[in-house]
């Protein structure tokens, strides 16, 4: 099991300041996966990704798409909180991202949504700005991936919610085309 292999991880320096490893939550064979950046204080405290203010907005976005939160899978590029919520550093990503890659390999989602510049650039090995990456599908390990703005950005820039909803509408249309029942996430 991937979680067992991760263990009480000391592979990078972030173990020193973390309260909990935030592995990821959701359905083991979810059709749709959301990937964020890194745990914040609320996630570090609870062990669950996206439970703070940005997470509550994400949960509302998922509900607006027709999914109960537990029907999708939610994870981050890195699993431990960086001090002061600084950006994850290259050595931290290098140690941690292989676990996310294995999680995605096990879940085999039909679609992935990358939340924010950091997740999109890391997964796509791109340095293009999120404003140019967003809005269309890219391919990650054979799976269509839609980059969009991070919900924390939407808390600061509510006008951008409209653009995120446009991106999620493209995701919903593709889920419908694939015959995935959003109300059950089947
Ligand atoms: N922001 C993220 O990118 N991930 C979380 O889990 C919480 C906030």
């Amino acid at each position: 099991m991937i979680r067992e292999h991760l263990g009480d991880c000391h592979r990078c320096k972030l173990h020193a300041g973390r309260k909990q490893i935030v592995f990821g939550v959701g359905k083991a064979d979810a059709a749709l996966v959301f990937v964020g950046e890194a745990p914040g204080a609320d996630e570090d405290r609870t062990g669950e990704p996206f439970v703070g203010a940005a997470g509550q907005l994400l949960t509302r976005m998922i509900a607006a798409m027709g999914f109960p939160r537990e029907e999708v899978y939610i994870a981050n590029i890195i699993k431990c909180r960086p001090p002061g919520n600084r950006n994850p550093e290259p050595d931290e990503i290098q140690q941690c991202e292989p676990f996310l890659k294995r999680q995605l390999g096990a879940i085999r989602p039909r679609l992935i949504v990358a939340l924010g510049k950091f997740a999109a650039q890391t997964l796509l090995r791109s340095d293009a700005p999120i404003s140019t990456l967003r809005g269309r599908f890219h391919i990650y390990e054979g799976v269509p991936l839609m980059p969009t703005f991070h919900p924390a950005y939407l808390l600061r820039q509510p006008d951008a919610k409209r653009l995120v909803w446009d991106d999620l509408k493209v995701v919903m249309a593709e889920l419908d085309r694939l015959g995935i029942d959003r109300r059950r996430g089947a």
Side-chain angles (χ1 to χ4, degrees):
M1 289 289 286
I2 304 164
R3 182 66 190 83
E4 274 84 82
H5 182 211
L6 183 65
D8 180 29
C9 186
H10 280 52
R11 291 172 183 80
C12 87
K13 55 192 176 301
L14 293 179
H15 76 270
R18 73 162 182 246
K19 291 197 179 72
Q20 295 192 60
I21 293 175
V22 180
F23 185 71
V25 283
K27 204 166 130 189
D29 59 350
L32 181 62
V33 173
F34 291 84
V35 179
E37 178 175 328
D42 295 313
E43 292 77 21
D44 183 51
R45 191 169 39 76
T46 59
E48 182 169 339
F50 282 100
V51 293
Q56 286 161 27
L57 177 54
L58 177 64
T59 302
R60 290 202 296 279
M61 286 158 45
I62 293 168
M65 295 176 77
F67 286 108
R69 179 174 153 118
E70 56 278 6
E71 288 288 329
V72 303
Y73 196 88
I74 308 173
N76 286 302
I77 299 287
I78 63 166
K79 302 193 188 308
C80 295
R81 184 190 182 202
N85 295 341
R86 65 154 168 77
N87 280 344
E89 293 176 353
D91 59 312
E92 297 158 2
I93 299 164
Q94 201 188 338
Q95 294 295 334
C96 208
E97 196 203 350
F99 287 92
L100 173 65
K101 193 168 169 178
R102 285 173 58 191
Q103 284 168 281
L104 292 170
I107 297 167
R108 306 204 322 124
R110 306 297 293 274
L111 297 177
I112 298 169
V113 176
L115 298 165
K117 162 187 151 156
F118 190 83
Q121 290 184 341
T122 302
L123 293 176
L124 296 174
R125 304 283 186 269
S126 168
D127 53 14
I130 184 70
S131 53
T132 54
L133 291 172
R134 61 159 285 270
R136 63 196 161 88
F137 284 115
H138 304 252
I139 300 294
Y140 170 82
E141 302 278 322
V143 183
L145 179 147
M146 173 66 76
T148 195
F149 293 119
H150 194 288
Y153 173 75
L154 299 182
L155 294 175
R156 299 191 301 274
Q157 299 286 339
D159 287 355
K161 282 184 187 170
R162 186 176 47 81
L163 298 174
V164 170
W165 189 239
D166 287 345
D167 299 344
L168 295 180
K169 279 197 280 201
V170 176
V171 171
M172 288 187 281
E174 183 61 10
L175 290 166
D176 292 348
R177 199 186 67 79
L178 293 168
I180 292 155
D181 179 355
R182 285 187 271 125
R183 266 135 293 275
R184 295 199 347 264

